[in-house]
Amino acid sequence: MTSPISGISFGMPGITDVAGVSGAASAAAPASASGDGGFAAVLTGSIDSLNAVQGTADTLALQAATGDLQDAHDYMIASTEARLATDTVVTLKNSAVAAFTEIMRMQI
C-alpha cells in the first residue's frame, strides 16, 4: 500500500522529534536569536508546515468525497494530523501572546 502522506510527523523547525526521555538533552538547546531568525523563524516555519498539512488533508478529503480515495484511513490520518498541527500552532501562539502580555506588565 502506498500512502499519499509520509507518516505522522509535524516537523516544526526548531523542535526536535521526541523519541523518549533520552532526546531531552538535544531538545534543551535553544535556537540562537540572531543566527537563524529565532522565534519568528520557528513561528513562520510552523505556520508553513500547518498550511502544507492542511492542504494534504483537504486533498484527501476531496478524493474521499469523489470516491477516488483507495484507503479511507489515509484521510483519517491526515485529518487527525491536521487537527494536531492546528492545536500545536494555536498553543504556540497563545504562549507567545501570554509571554508578550507578561513582558508588557513588567515595571521598569
Side-chain angles (χ1 to χ4, degrees), residues 5-104:
I5 56 177
S6 61
I8 301 176
S9 64
F10 182 56
M12 289 178 47
I15 298 176
T16 58
D17 195 19
V18 179
V21 178
S22 63
S26 64
S32 110
S34 61
D36 61 358
F39 180 75
V42 170
L43 186 62
T44 302
S46 64
I47 290 174
D48 291 341
S49 297
L50 174 63
N51 285 334
V53 169
Q54 290 283 351
T56 302
D58 290 344
T59 301
L60 290 173
L62 181 64
Q63 289 176 357
T66 59
D68 295 334
L69 188 63
Q70 297 296 323
D71 296 318
H73 69 275
D74 288 339
Y75 168 66
M76 293 303 297
I77 291 170
S79 66
T80 302
E81 184 178 356
R83 182 181 50 83
L84 290 173
T86 302
D87 290 346
T88 303
V89 170
V90 167
T91 301
L92 182 64
K93 186 259 321 169
N94 290 341
S95 297
V97 169
F100 178 76
T101 303
E102 188 65 28
I103 289 171
M104 295 307 291

